[in-house]
Amino acid sequence: MLGASRRYRNDAMIIRQLLYLDALAREKHFRRAAEACHVSQPTLSAAIVQLEEELGVLIVERGRRFQGFTKEGEAVLARARRILAEADLMKEEIAELREGISGRIRLGAIPTALPMIAHITAPFSERYPAVSLTVLSLTSQEIQEGIDNFELDVGLTYLDNEPLDRVISKPIYQESYVLLTREDGQLGARDSISWVEAAELKLCLLTGDMQNRRIIDGIFRSVGTAPRPVIETNSIFNLCSHAGIQGIASIVSLQLLEFFGVPLGTRALPLVEPAAQRTIGLIVADRQPFAPLARNLLMMTKPVTDAGLPRRPIVR
């Protein structure tokens, strides 16, 4: 009994050390990491030093402030995150057996897909009221990193444009594109516009760190031209509002306008030649065992075409 009790205390101490290490990686600052763990900074620092002594390697680069992890430290951090994820998964499975499905899901979504989030989370919350959800607006690269680092459980992102690694995916809907412009402007009487024509306009587009912008640029390249953005933003709401300025047009997803409507005083023209589309869907880590909450969200979410969602007319 004494040996079992000692092993339990040792295991609990190791878990705490790994939690401190993960917090330090996220916060990149000893004091903030300690605050996130609700301990003093000396307690956190001493625990990491003890872990280094137990493993016989230097984990954290030493200096007056946090400078990063050593090569060995990066390997320890990766293993620590897997261990912590396994511990969380074990708790989820035990809670599911004892009380039904409960816990928390962390979901990252690309900004252009945010209008779809409620149609994914609301049915899930209705079926599993004991589960809480955290939704974050992130770039596609941040979503991939979050899945890899055990910081996200599920992502909503592009599936067929830039490669995804180590994930299981489920298509949800097809994103297509329209030009949003003032209805009293020079294009107000048009029913559609080609990508070649759109390239000659003063455009408001998303910033280059967002995959939607890289998709737009790629479509323009496919027809031998390039856009001339005069305004760049990382906000889909700014993208829409700038289309109300005389002489400025924005390229937005059709789905954004279908769910929120066309802004007052603007007109949405389908972009043609080509009529381009990209697939957006859910992704989860391709790991075994499969996390119960992520598994259930993936299984119950229906493609938009099967969801019976309301549609708004997009041409005013």
Side-chain angles (χ1 to χ4, degrees):
M1 289 294 294
L2 182 60
S5 177
R6 184 178 295 112
R7 284 196 302 273
Y8 174 80
R9 288 197 300 271
N10 289 341
D11 290 345
M13 182 173 62
I14 291 172
I15 290 294
R16 283 198 299 273
Q17 291 170 333
L18 300 184
L19 285 169
Y20 297 162
L21 192 66
D22 181 52
L24 183 59
R26 284 185 283 104
E27 301 294 337
K28 296 178 173 57
H29 191 281
F30 281 96
R31 178 180 56 78
R32 291 198 299 267
E35 291 173 351
C37 295
H38 307 290
V39 298
S40 67
Q41 182 173 331
T43 296
L44 181 137
S45 297
I48 291 178
V49 169
Q50 185 177 4
L51 181 61
E52 290 177 321
E53 292 173 349
E54 291 172 353
L55 297 176
V57 296
L58 188 66
I59 294 175
V60 179
E61 295 284 1
R62 291 298 188 266
R64 294 184 62 185
R65 60 185 62 185
F66 178 75
Q67 296 179 347
F69 293 94
T70 64
K71 181 179 179 180
E72 295 83 357
E74 292 287 354
V76 172
L77 175 63
R79 178 66 66 177
R81 283 175 162 164
R82 285 194 291 270
I83 292 171
L84 293 173
E86 287 289 333
D88 287 342
L89 179 57
M90 179 182 65
K91 293 175 184 177
E92 286 181 14
E93 291 175 340
I94 292 172
E96 183 176 355
L97 291 172
R98 182 186 299 166
E99 305 165 359
I101 295 177
S102 62
R104 179 170 69 99
I105 289 183
R106 300 158 300 178
L107 192 156
I110 54 175
T112 56
L114 289 174
M116 292 299 305
I117 287 294
H119 301 290
I120 294 172
T121 57
F124 184 83
S125 293
E126 183 177 0
R127 180 176 295 184
Y128 304 112
V131 177
S132 62
L133 296 104
T134 299
V135 177
L136 300 173
S137 175
L138 301 170
T139 67
S140 56
Q141 293 173 345
E142 290 170 334
I143 291 172
Q144 175 75 73
E145 292 171 1
I147 294 288
D148 289 341
N149 295 332
F150 303 91
E151 295 173 349
L152 292 176
D153 303 299
V154 184
L156 182 62
T157 186
Y158 293 103
L159 302 185
D160 59 355
N161 187 59
E162 297 176 354
L164 293 163
D165 299 318
R166 303 169 296 280
V167 298
I168 297 170
S169 63
K170 181 177 184 177
I172 300 299
Y173 69 98
Q174 295 292 313
E175 180 181 81
S176 52
Y177 310 99
V178 297
L179 184 85
L180 194 61
T181 185
R182 283 178 63 108
E183 61 183 356
D184 62 354
Q186 61 177 345
L187 300 173
R190 297 281 297 272
D191 292 325
S192 65
I193 187 170
S194 72
W195 288 89
V196 170
E197 291 175 295
E200 299 303 315
L201 303 175
K202 294 180 178 179
L203 295 173
C204 175
L205 300 176
L206 291 174
T207 51
D209 61 323
M210 304 182 75
Q211 191 171 169
N212 174 271
R213 171 61 184 279
R214 298 193 292 275
I215 288 172
I216 298 288
D217 288 348
I219 298 170
F220 277 121
R221 284 195 301 272
S222 73
V223 294
T225 188
R228 298 186 303 169
V230 295
I231 301 171
E232 294 180 308
T233 177
N234 63 358
S235 165
I236 57 174
F237 302 105
N238 282 334
L239 199 64
C240 291
S241 65
H242 277 99
I245 299 174
Q246 192 66 256
I248 303 293
S250 298
I251 295 178
V252 304
S253 74
L254 169 65
Q255 289 67 35
L256 173 67
L257 302 182
E258 285 179 333
F259 289 106
F260 289 116
V262 178
L264 187 66
T266 65
R267 181 178 177 85
L269 306 177
L271 279 155
V272 297
E273 301 174 16
Q277 290 186 326
R278 293 295 184 274
T279 303
I280 290 179
L282 292 173
I283 62 170
V284 297
D286 186 9
R287 305 187 188 104
Q288 295 296 328
F290 209 45
L293 295 180
R295 175 196 64 208
N296 290 334
L297 180 64
L298 192 69
M299 289 177 59
M300 72 167 290
T301 301
K302 298 179 180 180
V304 166
T305 53
D306 299 332
L309 299 174
R311 301 287 184 181
R312 295 177 183 269
I314 66 150
V315 177
R316 298 173 60 108

